[in-house]
Amino acid sequence: MSLMKDDSSIVQLAATLRQEIAAKRPGDRLPSSRELMRRHGVSPVTVSRAIGQLAAEGRVVTRPGSGAFVAPAAPSVGEMSDLSWQTVALGDRVVDDSGVTALLTAPPDDVVPLTGGYLNPAMRPDRQLSAAASRAVKRAEAWALPPLTGLKELRGWFARQAGGDVTAADALIVSGGQAALSHAFRALAAPGTHVLVETPTYPGALAAAKAAGLRATAVPMDRDGVLPDLLAEAFAVTGARVFYCQPTLHNPTGATLSTERRRQVLQVARANNAFVVEDDYARFLTAHAPVSMVALDRYGTVVHISSLTKILAPSLRLAAVIARGPAAHRLRASQLVESFFVARPLQETALEFVGSPSWPRHLSSVHAELTTRRDALAAAMLSLLPEAELHLVPRGGLHLWVRVPPHVDEAALVEGARRNGVQVSPGRIYYPAEPPGPRVRVTHSAATHLAELTEGVRRLAEAYAGLSEAPAT
């Protein structure tokens, strides 16, 4: 009963003080605690808690040794502080997140998602991951400081996936593939220098390179990937010391470098004393991944990146960077200075999952589902939008790269598709310079089911037809 009485007194005193505050001006002093106790017949605790409640509401400010005062009036929207000074202080914009934000922003519920870079929730092993996490956090050292380069067993697992003579000592665990790119670009190249990239290429890599102060220079590719002779020419012209590539199921085109062409790329890079950043993001998204470039490398040319995020879940932000020599030391220093290490429970969960029978079962299920979805999306494109040309039908992955007739306004097509209830990725965000013509990337992994994929293409075709029928201006 006493506790209930105290609570009631606090409420009553706070209500009374609110009325008094309303009649005062900002900065006016409230009666002292002793005066409030005498005036209202309450205890010191009641006064303290009532004042604390008003402070939490922003009505009063307390100054130790001086008392409580009416808080300054909150500025209205029109009276907000002028923050324009920051534009001068910050200088030129360094980080451009527009392309990445477009890829990560979920569409409204009534819009068919033919974009995105992750598995549909129905394809994710959420239940098995939860079980793995439950087992992982029960380990004796689950919440202890991990080795700074990552759990040895997990580094060893990534090393085995990379192949060749890669060992656990060559691997560094980082917080996802995007973090790996940021570390690689900062560690391998000086600000203001060139980094060579395939064109088109992954927008997140372009953003990370720009944030590192690098100048992305395009190297052309064909249906089989980057062209080694033009890569050699680009090295000679720019003096670059880094080439970023996605040799397996290149995003967005789906191209995969043959083993022979991989060797040629390595020879070109070695001849120019340059690094190859191998973004092997799609290794687990196909049953037909060729030998990695790092497995072919004997000279420390390749910095290899592999992630579990794409194949498992967006919030499993965990990847490995494999490097040798001084480059490995710089990468580890970058990781240490930026974030010390990856949270051990996350590492333990990943290790638990990939070491369980759930891992091969999940891979088999995803590979079969992605093949079915790819075929359905390709068939729908060919049937409902024959004017568009598929760059190729890749042997896995999540995307199809589509060439639109040159007279089509790419931006208008993407916006028209959005208004018609389907979201696709504009081709321009994949180019470091001017695009050669209108393109879009369509994704089959985010849709709920096959019928939704077909409906998405139907809506895209309607948007295309609307543009074609619009009068010329």
Side-chain angles (χ1 to χ4, degrees), residues 27-100:
D28 285 353
R29 188 177 186 275
L30 270 64
S32 67
S33 296
R34 182 174 298 178
E35 174 63 19
L36 291 174
M37 290 163 54
R38 185 193 63 77
R39 185 186 301 177
H40 298 282
V42 294
S43 69
V45 172
T46 297
V47 172
S48 176
R49 291 185 178 177
I51 295 295
Q53 175 64 38
L54 296 174
E57 296 172 5
R59 298 175 187 271
V60 302
V61 291
T62 58
R63 299 170 189 165
S66 299
F69 301 81
V70 178
S76 66
V77 174
E79 297 173 342
M80 292 298 288
S81 299
D82 183 3
L83 305 178
S84 60
W85 65 269
Q86 293 189 1
T87 302
V88 177
L90 290 170
D92 292 339
R93 187 181 186 190
V94 174
V95 179
D96 181 3
D97 64 347
S98 55
V100 179

Side-chain angles (χ1 to χ4, degrees), residues 404-415:
V404 192
H407 68 273
V408 172
D409 184 323
E410 177 188 299
L413 175 61
V414 172
E415 176 58 22

